[in-house]
Amino acid sequence: MSKNLSELSGRQGLKNNLFDRMGQLTIESGTPPVEELEKLAEEFLIGKANTYGAATFYDFMKPANKGKKVYVCNGSVCLCAGTQDRLVEKLRDHFAEDEIGHMCCLGRCHENNAFFYQGKNYSGRDAEDLEAIVDGAGSNDDHYAVTTLGTPVLTLPYAGFDAHYAVLRDVLKRDSAEVLEEIKTSGIRGRGGAGFPMGLKLQFCRNEKSDTKFIICNADEGDPGAFSDRWLLEERPHHVLFGMMVAGYCIGAEWGVVYIRAEYPESVEAIQRAVSELEDNQLLGDNIAGSGFNFRFKVIKAAGSYICGEETALINSIEGQRPEVRVRPPFPAQRGLFNKPTTVNNVETLAALHYILQNGGEAYAKLGTDKSSGTKLLCLDSGFRKPGLVEAEMGTPLRQVIDEAGEGFKHSVKAMHIGGPLGGLVPVSKIDDLTVDFESFSSEGFLLGHASVVTIPGDFPLVKYLEHLFEFAAEESCGKCFPCRLGTKRAQEMFAKAQHEGYKIPRTLIDDLLHTLEEGSLCAHGGGIPLPVRNALHYFEDELRQYLA
């Protein structure tokens, strides 16, 4: 059935996009009217249950979102910082209880008290001026440190439009196969978490025979603690768009879709402005720079769903379906958006292509390590003396990132959750054993992932943090497979009972549950959440023993 829905959605193309239309229907009240969803179903020749089932999946479309006016971040960093209860109390002075909703995560992890109001994100010092914000006179300026350790790639200053796109004009004079080989030579691997070689991903899609192909930028950066994609989208938008155009040229795609999470409203605006600048300079459309290459962008604002960071769920979302994970094979390179060959890449991966094409694949390959070339962006949360963004060459000691870039911790820290909810829980005793690259983290039983760093204070109960992780995983599960849908909820219940009812979690039961999640889940959402739990049980057994049978 989903294959047929893909075809029906694709008949109208990207200009009249079903998901986009659903989003427009939510603007007035926060949830699309049922009668309007029924009209959409008739227009796109799909069932009413399909439009209603899709719309009610998302945080910012479902009926419970109706009437919400302000949203409070409930991510891991804000939890550990302990700032949000006071913020909610302050908001209650201006808003009714049912007007206050929740978002996760707003990407303001360097400074907490994060909240969303009237299309803007606020944090930290902003919250102290709440009355002015509610009156429409407040500021949401966002300032944090941006540090480079080693050779800069993504943190290099933007050279200006003409100089930046002179590289694209040169690229379009070369054969697309030659350009792809340059990317392969660089050795760049996906920065979204999996670390799959980008060149191979593009090659798989290039090899498929089809008149229509797509490039998708996965800008649904939902990992609490992460804001590197947000920085790129807002401060280096033309790096991201350049990368998409080059990737499109390599595989023969004429459309690029930038799928940006609703929690990043400023990022959506920045990318739309950059697309308009390309159009004004005649670098989009047909026969770009006389090269015969045609390319256009579609910017899509998401509607609140962590699972859309998984590439097949993201594709379903763009099609206006429920964002459930697809069974693979077929992979997106064979059958992706509207059943056409598709390549999905992370923001940071695409943004690196400008350096690679300007300086050559060999120059990029010389940075980092043999197996992890280039640089990696890391996000340091408010637990550091110097929170912010760090670009580090792969292979940089983690100790250098913490002590030199972050200037150490503000307070006692016992662990760092690195790489998002599915990343490893790294005790501070392991800092000197790790370098910033895929192999080092993997060999030590962790995961570099998106490289967000969430500090867990020394006095913060780990059992509470683990319950929070499972609560997040259960809330954000797409629900398609039983192990993830049921297992995450059962685990959350066990850790909640252990804290509040004196329940002792049988070690055999939790081990079996984690094993089932790892082996039985369709995607990394359910399959990855056991990693930080296993790390906690291993390194913090003394603290957790009182909750285990």
Side-chain angles (χ1 to χ4, degrees), residues 217-237:
C217 173
N218 183 350
D220 197 61
E221 181 186 49
D223 291 346
F227 48 93
S228 52
D229 287 0
R230 182 172 76 84
W231 182 81
L232 288 167
L233 293 166
E234 295 171 18
E235 302 297 332
R236 299 291 187 271

Side-chain angles (χ1 to χ4, degrees), residues 17 48 355 379 445:
N17 177 254
K48 297 175 183 178
Y355 182 96
C379 305

Side-chain angles (χ1 to χ4, degrees), residues 197-226:
M198 184 188 195
L200 284 180
K201 208 172 192 181
L202 293 171
Q203 185 70 62
F204 293 153
C205 197
R206 179 185 174 91
N207 292 344
E208 294 296 314
K209 291 181 170 57
S210 176
D211 294 334
T212 304
K213 295 181 181 180
F214 297 99
I215 286 287
I216 297 176
C217 173
N218 183 350
D220 197 61
E221 181 186 49
D223 291 346

Side-chain angles (χ1 to χ4, degrees), residues 446-466:
F446 306 115
L447 180 74
L448 181 61
H450 215 107
S452 54
V453 183
V454 177
T455 54
I456 301 177
D459 59 356
F460 193 93
L462 266 183
V463 66
K464 181 178 178 180
Y465 191 80
L466 296 180

Side-chain angles (χ1 to χ4, degrees), residues 371-412:
K371 294 183 179 180
S372 295
S373 62
T375 66
K376 182 75 191 79
L377 296 179
L378 297 96
C379 305
L380 307 185
D381 75 355
S382 59
F384 289 86
R385 290 194 177 94
K386 186 181 175 183
L389 189 78
V390 183
E391 181 178 22
E393 271 194 52
M394 288 288 201
T396 300
L398 183 60
R399 172 64 70 184
Q400 186 179 358
V401 172
I402 292 168
D403 290 350
E404 185 176 328
E407 297 184 356
F409 302 119
K410 285 180 183 175
H411 47 67
S412 171

Side-chain angles (χ1 to χ4, degrees), residues 66-87:
K66 188 173 183 178
K68 292 288 187 288
K69 293 183 179 180
V70 63
Y71 297 85
V72 177
C73 182
N74 61 356
S76 305
V77 176
C78 289
L79 173 77
C80 290
T83 54
Q84 297 306 71
D85 288 345
R86 181 168 173 267
L87 172 61

Side-chain angles (χ1 to χ4, degrees), residues 42-64:
E42 292 176 6
E43 180 182 342
F44 282 82
L45 304 178
I46 62 178
K48 297 175 183 178
N50 296 112
T51 53
Y52 184 78
T56 53
F57 183 95
Y58 297 94
D59 289 344
F60 312 129
M61 285 191 191
K62 61 189 180 184

Side-chain angles (χ1 to χ4, degrees), residues 230-463:
R230 182 172 76 84
W231 182 81
L232 288 167
L233 293 166
E234 295 171 18
E235 302 297 332
R236 299 291 187 271
H238 282 296
H239 283 68
V240 180
L241 298 181
F242 173 96
M244 293 182 70
M245 295 178 77
V246 168
Y249 183 60
C250 289
I251 71 169
E254 295 190 357
W255 274 97
V257 181
V258 194
Y259 185 97
I260 307 174
R261 60 201 311 261
E263 293 87 344
Y264 289 177
E266 293 89 355
S267 297
V268 177
E269 294 170 2
I271 288 293
Q272 287 175 332
R273 286 194 300 269
V275 170
S276 296
E277 194 174 0
L278 280 165
E279 292 171 340
D280 292 344
N281 285 273
Q282 289 79 50
L283 278 180
L284 283 182
D286 296 332
N287 193 27
I288 297 172
S291 64
F293 174 55
N294 309 325
F295 201 80
R296 292 171 172 82
F297 283 106
K298 175 69 174 180
V299 180
I300 291 182
K301 181 180 179 180
S305 174
Y306 178 76
I307 198 63
C308 288
E310 198 281 334
E311 61 180 10
T312 62
L314 184 152
I315 289 169
N316 273 350
S317 180
I318 296 171
E319 293 176 351
Q321 300 191 57
R322 283 176 69 87
E324 294 180 344
V325 174
R326 295 182 180 182
V327 177
R328 288 162 290 188
F331 292 90
Q334 288 81 47
R335 198 169 80 202
L337 182 61
F338 306 139
N339 290 331
K340 303 299 183 182
T342 302
T343 297
V344 183
N345 282 123
N346 161 263
V347 172
E348 186 178 340
T349 319
L350 290 161
L353 290 189
H354 190 272
Y355 182 96
I356 292 169
L357 273 302
Q358 183 176 42
N359 298 282
E362 289 188 3
Y364 188 86
K366 288 178 181 177
L367 304 177
T369 70
D370 289 342
K371 294 183 179 180
S372 295
S373 62
T375 66
K376 182 75 191 79
L377 296 179
L378 297 96
C379 305
L380 307 185
D381 75 355
S382 59
F384 289 86
R385 290 194 177 94
K386 186 181 175 183
L389 189 78
V390 183
E391 181 178 22
E393 271 194 52
M394 288 288 201
T396 300
L398 183 60
R399 172 64 70 184
Q400 186 179 358
V401 172
I402 292 168
D403 290 350
E404 185 176 328
E407 297 184 356
F409 302 119
K410 285 180 183 175
H411 47 67
S412 171
V413 169
K414 61 185 171 187
M416 298 173 294
H417 197 177
I418 300 179
L422 316 181
L425 199 68
V426 181
V428 291
S429 61
K430 296 291 290 182
I431 291 175
D432 292 320
D433 298 333
L434 293 167
T435 54
V436 180
D437 55 80
F438 297 113
E439 289 69 37
S440 173
F441 272 69
S442 177
S443 66
E444 293 291 339
F446 306 115
L447 180 74
L448 181 61
H450 215 107
S452 54
V453 183
V454 177
T455 54
I456 301 177
D459 59 356
F460 193 93
L462 266 183
V463 66

